Amino acid sequence: MWQAESERTDHAFVQVSYNRSDALDGHDPGRCGADLESFVEEELLNLLGSEPDRFYTLVSDTIIGYGQGGRIDGAGIEGMIAVQLAALRAGHFRRLNLADLDNDGIITRPEVGMVLPTLSARLRARLVRLHRAADVDADGMVTTDELRGFAEAEAVQAMGAAKIEELRRIMLIDLDRDGWATLDELNRLQRIVG
C-alpha cells in the first residue's frame, strides 16, 4: 500500500511522494489506495497530454542529468529545482550588484546613475527597471534583503510554477512505488502508452 504525503486537489501544486504503509490515516486502505491509484493514473495522462514525447524527453533528461544509476528520487528532483533556481537567482544578483560600487551591500540610485553611461541603451533601461522593481520600499536603495527577495521572486517567475510542478510530477512514473523514478519505468510507461 502507498500513500501521497502531500497533494492538493486543485492541482495548482502537487508534490507526490510515496511511503509503504498498511493504513492511510484511519481510512480503508483498499479504498484510499484505489483512489490514489486513480489520481496518479489521471495525473500521468495529464502530463503525457498531446505531447508524450516531450514528457519522455523531460523525464529522461532529468534522470540522466540529475539522477544517479538511471534513477532519481524526490530529493534529487528537489535538488535539481534548487540548482536551477539558484542559477537564475545568481543572474539577478549579478545584474544589480554590478551597480554596488562601494561594495556595501546596498545599491543606491546614485550608484546606478554612475554605471548607466557604461552600458548599452538596452542594458541601461534594464538596470533602471530592475533597480526600481527590487526597491520594495521605494527609498532609492536596494538592500541585501530586498535584493534577495527580488531575486527569488524573479527566479521562480523565470522558471515558472508550472515547470516546477511538472518536474515534481516526474515521480508519478514511479510505477513500483519504491520512491525512485527510473529509466526502466519510463521505458515501461512508453510501451504501455505507446
Side-chain angles (χ1 to χ4, degrees):
M1 188 60 50
W2 37 274
Q3 95 184 60
E5 289 181 348
S6 63
E7 63 184 72
R8 279 184 32 192
T9 56
D10 65 2
H11 305 281
F13 172 80
V14 174
Q15 180 177 0
V16 180
S17 59
Y18 300 94
N19 286 330
R20 296 191 182 277
S21 67
D22 293 328
L24 298 172
D25 298 328
H27 296 93
D28 172 20
R31 178 170 157 32
C32 290
D35 289 348
L36 184 57
E37 196 162 326
S38 295
F39 168 78
V40 170
E41 192 174 303
E42 180 183 329
E43 289 303 306
L44 267 173
L45 290 175
N46 288 340
L47 280 173
L48 295 171
S50 61
E51 300 177 272
D53 290 340
R54 189 191 69 73
F55 178 70
Y56 298 145
T57 300
L58 171 71
V59 173
S60 62
D61 287 354
T62 300
I63 292 172
I64 293 166
Y66 293 91
Q68 19 179 298
R71 65 189 198 158
I72 194 166
D73 62 1
I77 290 172
E78 291 302 317
M80 176 197 64
I81 292 168
V83 166
Q84 291 180 6
L85 286 172
L88 292 167
R89 272 194 311 271
H92 290 292
F93 270 107
R94 183 183 47 77
R95 286 181 194 100
L96 275 168
N97 273 329
L98 157 77
D100 186 10
L101 301 179
D102 59 6
N103 198 29
D104 65 353
I106 298 171
I107 303 144
T108 64
R109 274 191 205 127
E111 286 175 315
V112 169
M114 291 179 72
V115 171
L116 290 178
T118 67
L119 303 173
S120 69
R122 185 179 63 82
L123 292 179
R124 283 193 297 260
R126 177 195 231 176
L127 181 60
V128 169
R129 278 194 314 272
L130 288 174
H131 188 268
R132 287 177 186 242
D135 186 10
V136 176
D137 59 9
D139 66 354
M141 299 183 293
V142 175
T143 65
T144 303
D145 287 340
E146 286 175 319
L147 181 54
R148 185 177 293 120
F150 171 74
E152 178 66 23
E154 291 293 307
V156 169
Q157 181 180 0
M159 188 167 185
K163 174 71 170 185
I164 293 170
E165 179 182 342
E166 181 178 45
L167 290 168
R168 287 179 173 146
R169 288 181 174 191
I170 287 173
M171 288 307 297
L172 291 171
I173 75 154
D174 178 13
L175 300 176
D176 62 8
R177 304 297 178 240
D178 66 351
W180 294 93
T182 69
L183 291 173
D184 289 339
E185 287 169 320
L186 179 62
N187 289 336
R188 280 198 306 271
L189 181 62
Q190 285 177 296
R191 283 193 306 272
I192 291 167
V193 174

